[in-house]
Amino acid sequence: EVGPVVEIGMRVAKSSTLGFQLRFAGLGLLSHVISPQNYELSSMAFSLSFQKLNPIANSPNRFYFGGIAGVQFGGNSGDIGTSYEWKGESIALILGLKFGYRWRFPTKLFVNVGFMGGAGFNIKDDWWYLTDPTTILKETGAQINPAAMVELSFGWEFGGV
């Protein structure tokens, strides 16, 4: 996964949070760097995340682990500017586990560094050539793709966890 993420989380237990995320893969700088030439990606995902923040003795910082489940809606196009230019639409269910480290500061600012790994299960994966947009080609069979995300995030705690 590449691109910015906006998350709003709330404490659901003494050291656990539940968060709602929006991810915008097409807006990320990395998505443009790793994409092939003449290829565009625009996708958005809605996710629910859970994390358990584990105290460290004599430190305000925390190790965390948890999970994420979401739905990603995507659009892409390739071979742009050629006679065989194509567009596509996809929907995928994303499931994963995550872990990392949270630095907590007296100002209530926090910084997370972590990793999420899991799988994406395609629900829809259609594409078509722009020269014949009425013929939609559907990818068939179970498509399960690895999903991974490196996290570098910051935010503010209200009430502490």
Side-chain angles (χ1 to χ4, degrees):
E1 292 290 323
V2 291
V5 176
V6 176
E7 180 173 0
I8 296 174
M10 64 188 120
R11 183 169 57 178
V12 293
K14 184 179 178 185
S15 296
S16 300
T17 63
L18 186 64
F20 303 95
Q21 295 181 344
L22 289 174
R23 288 193 318 273
F24 305 94
L27 296 177
L29 176 63
L30 189 56
S31 66
H32 298 284
V33 171
I34 65 173
S35 293
Q37 190 175 12
N38 296 330
Y39 181 84
E40 288 181 0
L41 169 69
S42 62
S43 69
M44 179 177 192
F46 302 96
S47 300
L48 185 63
S49 73
F50 172 82
Q51 62 187 22
K52 171 83 169 127
L53 297 154
N54 299 301
I56 299 171
N58 302 317
S59 173
N61 303 328
R62 304 281 192 261
F63 284 108
Y64 67 85
F65 66 90
I68 186 169
V71 177
Q72 179 170 304
F73 302 90
N76 54 17
S77 54
D79 298 316
I80 298 167
T82 68
S83 61
Y84 45 91
E85 184 173 345
W86 57 270
K87 287 195 177 286
E89 294 177 350
S90 63
I91 300 173
L93 174 64
I94 309 293
L95 299 172
L97 298 174
K98 63 186 210 171
F99 63 90
Y101 191 81
R102 174 177 284 190
W103 284 272
R104 301 169 76 212
F105 300 96
T107 59
K108 300 292 185 182
L109 172 75
F110 68 82
V111 176
N112 288 342
V113 174
F115 177 79
M116 186 279 292
F121 304 88
N122 282 358
I123 298 168
K124 174 184 177 182
D125 192 3
D126 299 347
W127 62 280
W128 57 91
Y129 290 106
L130 294 185
T131 56
D132 185 12
T134 59
T135 303
I136 297 176
L137 306 165
K138 297 182 178 289
E139 297 294 331
T140 58
Q143 293 183 23
I144 301 172
N145 300 304
M149 183 169 32
V150 175
E151 178 181 21
L152 173 58
S153 62
F154 64 92
W156 288 268
E157 292 180 351
F158 300 99
V161 184

